[in-house]
């Protein structure tokens, strides 16, 4: 939904490091049913192992924080649009020795 200029500047996906943790960022695409799995697979290395500790994604606007294999998946939902979700939300992610997140309903 973003303009082409912004998508070109940001790229399809990005990996950032915070507190010794690798966080993969991707918007997401397609039907929401298996979106968490597809978002995780976007960060698999050539050895088919995840290259990140957490994947943060959106697209569906459905808030989610769950572990899939050895990767945490976080979708903060949307603070402005609840077309596909029961509530508006955002997420707080805490990185350190443990990975924790809180979905905040608005």
């Amino acid at each position: 939904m973003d303009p082409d200029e912004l998508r070109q500047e940001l790229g399809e996906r990005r990996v950032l490091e915070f507190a010794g943790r690798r966080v993969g960022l991707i918007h997401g695409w397609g039907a929401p049913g298996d979106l968490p799995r597809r978002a995780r697979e976007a960060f698999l290395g050539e050895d088919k192992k995840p290259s990140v500790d957490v994947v943060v994604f959106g697209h569906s606007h459905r808030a989610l924080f769950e572990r899939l294999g050895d990767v945490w998946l976080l979708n903060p939902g949307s603070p402005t649009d609840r077309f596909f979700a029961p509530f508006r939300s955002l997420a707080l992610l805490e990185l350190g020795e443990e990975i924790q997140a809180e979905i905040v309903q608005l």
Side-chain angles (χ1 to χ4, degrees), residues 3-18:
D4 287 339
E5 306 83 42
L6 183 59
R7 289 178 27 205
Q8 289 174 358
E9 181 180 333
L10 296 177
E12 181 181 328
R13 61 186 172 182
R14 186 171 287 190
V15 176
L16 304 172
E17 288 196 34
F18 301 101

Side-chain angles (χ1 to χ4, degrees), residues 27-62:
H27 178 80
W29 66 97
D34 66 344
L35 178 59
R37 179 192 55 79
R38 285 182 280 124
R40 179 186 181 275
E41 287 178 357
F43 294 94
L44 294 180
E46 290 183 19
D47 59 359
K48 301 295 183 191
K49 293 182 180 178
S51 60
V52 296
D53 301 297
V54 182
V55 175
V56 178
F57 65 99
H59 186 63
S60 69
H61 295 192
R62 295 179 183 168

Side-chain angles (χ1 to χ4, degrees), residues 12-105:
E12 181 181 328
R13 61 186 172 182
R14 186 171 287 190
V15 176
L16 304 172
E17 288 196 34
F18 301 101
R21 298 293 191 158
R22 293 175 54 83
V23 179
L25 302 174
I26 191 165
H27 178 80
W29 66 97
D34 66 344
L35 178 59
R37 179 192 55 79
R38 285 182 280 124
R40 179 186 181 275
E41 287 178 357
F43 294 94
L44 294 180
E46 290 183 19
D47 59 359
K48 301 295 183 191
K49 293 182 180 178
S51 60
V52 296
D53 301 297
V54 182
V55 175
V56 178
F57 65 99
H59 186 63
S60 69
H61 295 192
R62 295 179 183 168
L64 170 83
F65 181 59
E66 69 180 22
R67 192 170 179 116
L68 181 58
D70 47 0
V71 176
W72 283 100
L73 302 169
L74 176 61
N75 184 332
S78 172
T80 59
D81 181 10
R82 51 172 274 224
F83 185 74
F84 297 109
F87 51 83
R88 292 177 182 89
S89 62
L90 57 84
L92 303 173
L93 177 61
E94 186 176 330
L95 301 171
E97 197 167 308
E98 293 186 28
I99 296 172
Q100 300 178 16
E102 177 185 358
I103 303 294
V104 179
Q105 292 187 27

